C-alpha cells in the first residue's frame, strides 16, 4: 500500500511555528496560504451553513476570470498553498478546471474542499490528470440520518460512493492526497469511531470537528419553518467547547471572496473583516495594510471578544463528547 503524506504539511508547519505573540514580532513577509472562494453559490441547503441557510448578506456570484488571473499575477514567482474552499461549492464554477490548471502551472500547491455532488467520473479524471495536490470531502454527522438532518439532503451514501470512485481511480498515483472530514453535533464517540472505521479505507486522512452555530444570525436565515425548528433544536445540542484558539488566520493566510474582496478570515461569510480588494490593491499591499495589522495586534493579545466574528471563533477540534448514558 502506498503511504502518502499531505503535500501541504510543510506549509502548515510554517504556519504552526510559534504562537501569535511571536508571529506579531516576526511577521511573515507574505501569506503562505490563500483561500479562494470560486463562488458563494451552492446547490445544497445545509442548515448549519450561512450559504445553505441563506443568512449570508453579501451578493452571490462566480469569480470572474479577470479577478482570478489578477490574483495569480500578484503571486507569480512564489510557491503558495491555494485552497479552493470557503462559502460555496467550488466545483460549480464553470471554469474550475481551467483555474486549477493555471494555478498548478504557476507552481502553487492546490487544495479543494467539496460536498462531492458535482464530482462526476469525468470531473474526477480531470482532477486526477492535473493532478491537484489535495482534496477534502466534507461530510456532516456520522451516518445517513445525521448527515441528512443537517445537510438537508439524502446524499450520505452517494457521497461515500463518490469518495470510493475517486480513491479507486487514483489507484497507485501519488496525488491528490484524499481526506474525508466531518463535523458533528451530538453524535456519540462510539458513532464517531464507527464512522472513521467506515471511511478510513476510502482516503488518506480523516478528521472530526465540531459544528459551530455561534456564527449564525438566526434572524437572517431563510428556511422553511420546519427547517428553522430543526436547526434550533440541533443548536441546543452542539458539542463545541467554547475556548478561543490562537488565531490560525491573520498571521499566515488571506482569504479572497469571489468578487475580489479580501478578508482576514476564511470564516468571514458576511464581510466583517474585509481588509482590501484585489481590483485596486496588490496582495502585498493588503497583507501590509493597517487594518490587517490592527487585527493581528488584537489577536496576539487574545482579544477575540473585541471583534464581532472572532468572538464566535472556537477551537472546533476540542470536542465535548457526550458520555454513554448510565443504565
Ligand atoms: C462552507 S463549505 C464550502 C465547501 C463545500 N461546499 C463543502 O461543503 O465542503 C466549507 C466547510 O465548512 C463547513 N461548515 C459549514 N458550516 C459550518 C458550521 N456551522 N460549523 C462547522 N463547519 C461548517 C462544511 O462542513 C465544509 O467542510
Ligand atoms: S456547507 Fe458546503 S455544501 Fe453545505 S450549503 Fe454550505 S457551501 Fe453548500
Amino acid at each position: 500500500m502506498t503511504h502518502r503524506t499531505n503535500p501541504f504539511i510543510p506549509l502548515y508547519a510554517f504556519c504552526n511555528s510559534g504562537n501569535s505573540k511571536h508571529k506579531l514580532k516576526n511577521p511573515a513577509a507574505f501569506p503562505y496560504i490563500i483561500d479562494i472562494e470560486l463562488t458563494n453559490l451552492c446547490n445544497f441547503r445545509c442548515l448549519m451553513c450561512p450559504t445553505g441557510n441563506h443568512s449570508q448578506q453579501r451578493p452571490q456570484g462566480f469569480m470572474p476570470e479577470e479577478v482570478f488571473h489578477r490574483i495569480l499575477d500578484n503571486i507569480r514567482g512564489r510557491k503558495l498553498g491555494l485552497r479552493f474552499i470557503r462559502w460555496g461549492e467550488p466545483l460549480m464554477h464553470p471554469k474550475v478546471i481551467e483555474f486549477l490548471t493555471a494555478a498548478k502551472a504557476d507552481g502553487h500547491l492546490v487544495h479543494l474542499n467539496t460536498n462531492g455532488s458535482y464530482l462526476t467520473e469525468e470531473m474526477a479524471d480531470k482532477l486526477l490528470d492535473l493532478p491537484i495536490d489535495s482534496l477534502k470531502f466534507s461530510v456532516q454527522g456520522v451516518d445517513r440520518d445525521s448527515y441528512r438532518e443537517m445537510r438537508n439532503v439524502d446524499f450520505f451514501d452517494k457521497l461515500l460512493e463518490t469518495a470510493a470512485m475517486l480513491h479507486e481511480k487514483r489507484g497507485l498515483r501519488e496525488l491528490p492526497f484524499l481526506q474525508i472530514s466531518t463535523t458533528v453535533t451530538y453524535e456519540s464517540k462510539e458513532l464517531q469511531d464507527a464512522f472513521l472505521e467506515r471511511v478510513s479505507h476510502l482516503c488518506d486522512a480523516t478528521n472530526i470537528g465540531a459544528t459551530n452555530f455561534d456564527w449564525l444570525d438566526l434572524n437572517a436565515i431563510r428556511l422553511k419553518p420546519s427547517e428553522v425548528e430543526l436547526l434550533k433544536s440541533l443548536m441546543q445540542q452542539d458539542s463545541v467547547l467554547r475556548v478561543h484558539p490562537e488565531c490560525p488566520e491573520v498571521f499566515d493566510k488571506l482569504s479572497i471572496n469571489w468578487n475580489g474582496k479580501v478578508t482576514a478570515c476564511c470564516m468571514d461569510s458576511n464581510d466583517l473583516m474585509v481588509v482590501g480588494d484585489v481590483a485596486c490593491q496588490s496582495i502585498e499591499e493588503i497583507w501590509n495594510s493597517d487594518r490587517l495589522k490592527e487585527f493581528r495586534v488584537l489577536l496576539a493579545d487574545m482579544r477575540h471578544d473585541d471583534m464581532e466574528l472572532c468572538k464566535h471563533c472556537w477551537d472546533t477540534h476540542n470536542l465535548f463528547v457526550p458520555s454513554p448514558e448510565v443504565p
Side-chain angles (χ1 to χ4, degrees), residues 39-53 86-90 92 113-117 138-140 147 150-151:
T39 180
N40 60 348
L41 288 154
C42 189
N43 57 328
F44 278 13
R45 291 188 304 116
C46 303
L47 300 184
M48 77 299 181
C49 170
T51 299
N53 65 33
R86 303 199 60 239
W87 297 109
E89 176 46 44
M92 281 173 61
N113 246 54
T114 179
N115 66 24
S117 61
S138 300
V139 192
Q140 175 69 35
Y147 180 100
M150 186 78 82
R151 285 218 169 224

Side-chain angles (χ1 to χ4, degrees), residues 9 36 40 57 65 71 77 139-140 142 148 198 201 276 282-283 289-290 299 311:
I9 281 181
I36 298 180
N40 60 348
Q57 306 290 318
E65 277 179 83
I71 297 169
V139 192
Q140 175 69 35
V142 291
R148 179 174 43 198
R198 186 166 175 191
H201 68 286
S282 72
I283 290 187
S289 63
D290 288 343
L299 287 165
K311 70 181 176 201

